[in-house]
Amino acid sequence: QVQLVESGGGLVQPGGSLRLSCAASKSIFSFEAMAFHRQAPGKPREWVSTLTTGGSTNYADSVKGRFTISRDNTKNTVYLQMNSLKPEDTAVYYCGALGTRSYWGQGTQVTVSS
């Protein structure tokens, strides 16, 4: 069983920044990719960003240019740097480890409000 623990969520004003962390209980290179999804109240879960084992990154159009996904291999941790946050970014953010079998964390709340 793989454990993924997200942290770094919170309340931030529009235009502010947050950095989410996702710590995995085993090497992140055990998976094909690491990803972040989010789910806003009353809306379906949506994909935000992916980082493959080879280092390729992809972003949803809604966050492109504002969010950056990265990793620290030595800590088995993936990060999502979120800048220029907007109220519509408010959601629970989930970290996933994707492969033959996928795993998801418990989520961390991000609230963007003045």
Side-chain angles (χ1 to χ4, degrees), residues 12-98:
V12 64
Q13 293 185 343
S17 298
L18 284 175
R19 189 178 78 158
L20 305 184
S21 298
C22 172
S25 60
K26 64 182 293 186
S27 172
I28 58 178
F29 287 103
S30 300
F31 308 99
E32 296 175 9
M34 301 294 292
F36 281 93
H37 288 194
R38 68 185 181 186
Q39 187 166 21
K43 295 185 177 181
R45 185 179 291 200
E46 64 173 352
W47 167 71
V48 175
S49 181
T50 302
L51 172 60
T52 70
T53 301
S56 298
T57 58
N58 285 286
Y59 300 92
D61 288 343
S62 58
V63 307
K64 198 172 294 182
R66 300 188 297 122
F67 290 12
T68 303
I69 191 170
S70 62
R71 66 190 176 199
D72 184 333
N73 306 333
T74 64
K75 297 181 179 179
N76 292 329
T77 299
V78 178
Y79 304 99
L80 186 68
Q81 178 67 43
M82 306 186 295
N83 299 329
S84 301
L85 283 161
K86 305 175 181 180
E88 50 264 43
D89 294 317
T90 295
V92 177
Y93 284 70
Y94 298 91
C95 170
L98 312 180

